[in-house]
Amino acid sequence: MKIRVILPTIMDTFNQEVQQEFAQYVGKQVEVDVCHLDYGPASVEGEYDEALCIPNLLEKAIAAEQEGCSGVISLCFADPGVKAAREVVNIPIVGAGESSMLIASMLGKSFSVVTVLPHVIHMIENVSKTTGVNGKLASVRYVDIPVLDLVDKAKMEDALFAEMVRAIEDDKAHGLVLGCTGMLGVAASLQKRLKQHGYEVPVIDPSFASAKMLESLIAMGVKQSRLTYMPPRQKWRK
């Protein structure tokens, strides 16, 4: 079984770390192929960036199916291109946002997402609505750190911890979701740190969630429903 993880940016900053993390998430029978875009934005931090990344992401998803991949992950919390890709490929494709919020919705009465910047809050709220879990979304908080600056793990973790405590105390969140796929490798340590301070709540890593969600769909042998998504239209011509 081979899956393709598409980072919807032109930067390779997180490629190696994503490859290493996903190798720990999936079973030994799963081969993980990580790629970034040939053209598009440097990071996805708003609607404009999301729009820029979708054309090449769709090309990458189509190529993945043609090359024998069993499934695709759009590795960004905003789930760019997921709905469109489901119209043009017949293999499962999942987004990190929808996967993590679906899991969080099963673990408590409510959950909060802690993301990077204030102007992505509405994007995350939209994902919760299209996924159907907005009724359980207690809040979306942010650490005010741009995506490409998340390489400073200590700064990121401290900022996440502070906002997670506020989400629990002020927003009554029963679960917490990391709101950016660049927040790699800190979910377990944050969950432990919160427990040490008296807060026993689950912390969901969106990359881990998307990996297990896709692996489960593939193992079930399901294909993309053509009743839900319209068949691809003819290529647009000038």
Side-chain angles (χ1 to χ4, degrees):
M1 180 195 305
K2 181 178 180 180
I3 66 172
R4 180 153 298 164
V5 181
I6 305 174
L7 281 67
T9 76
I10 58 171
M11 307 297 288
D12 62 358
T13 307
F14 297 104
N15 284 38
Q16 185 175 358
E17 188 176 7
V18 168
Q19 187 77 57
Q20 293 170 346
E21 287 288 322
F22 269 77
Q24 300 175 54
Y25 300 157
V26 298
K28 294 181 179 179
Q29 78 282 5
V30 181
E31 178 185 351
V32 180
D33 177 62
V34 178
C35 70
H36 59 280
L37 301 184
D38 300 322
Y39 60 92
S43 63
V44 179
E45 296 178 349
E47 300 280 0
Y48 179 71
D49 294 330
E50 182 179 7
L52 287 179
C53 80
I54 290 175
N56 194 219
L57 187 143
L58 293 176
E59 293 167 353
K60 297 283 186 182
I62 292 169
E65 182 175 37
Q66 293 172 343
E67 293 164 15
C69 292
S70 301
V72 173
I73 294 172
S74 173
L75 198 67
C76 172
F77 203 89
D79 296 346
V82 168
K83 289 186 290 183
R86 286 171 176 163
E87 293 185 0
V88 293
V89 299
N90 199 39
I91 55 176
I93 176 165
V94 302
E98 64 177 3
S99 298
S100 55
M101 285 196 270
L102 283 169
I103 291 172
S105 71
M106 294 186 287
L107 297 176
K109 290 177 63 178
S110 63
F111 65 90
S112 288
V113 177
V114 185
T115 189
V116 283
L117 298 166
H119 46 272
V120 302
I121 289 175
H122 72 283
M123 299 172 70
I124 291 173
E125 290 173 341
N126 286 341
V127 173
S128 77
K129 292 173 184 176
T130 57
T131 306
V133 297
N134 54 303
K136 287 196 169 186
L137 181 62
S139 63
V140 182
R141 291 182 166 272
Y142 64 93
V143 294
D144 208 20
I145 301 174
V147 174
L148 298 179
D149 289 345
L150 294 175
V151 291
D152 186 338
K153 297 291 187 182
K155 177 183 177 182
M156 172 181 68
E157 187 170 333
D158 286 345
L160 283 167
F161 178 78
E163 289 303 320
M164 286 179 169
V165 170
R166 293 186 183 101
I168 295 167
E169 293 186 345
D170 298 342
D171 309 327
K172 312 305 178 187
H174 290 192
L176 300 160
V177 180
L178 298 174
C180 177
T181 54
M183 297 171 173
L184 290 162
V186 297
S189 59
L190 281 165
Q191 185 167 294
K192 181 178 179 181
R193 188 172 170 182
L194 287 165
K195 185 176 181 180
Q196 290 171 344
H197 285 76
Y199 307 107
E200 193 161 2
V201 296
V203 178
I204 308 300
D205 182 319
S207 298
F208 201 159
S210 64
K212 301 313 290 185
M213 186 71 74
L214 182 61
E215 190 177 7
S216 297
L217 291 173
I218 294 169
M220 291 170 66
V222 298
K223 296 293 184 180
Q224 193 61 57
S225 172
R226 290 306 177 213
L227 295 177
T228 306
Y229 298 96
M230 295 294 291
R233 298 176 180 177
Q234 292 294 318
K235 279 190 173 181
W236 176 79
R237 294 190 180 96
K238 291 184 179 180

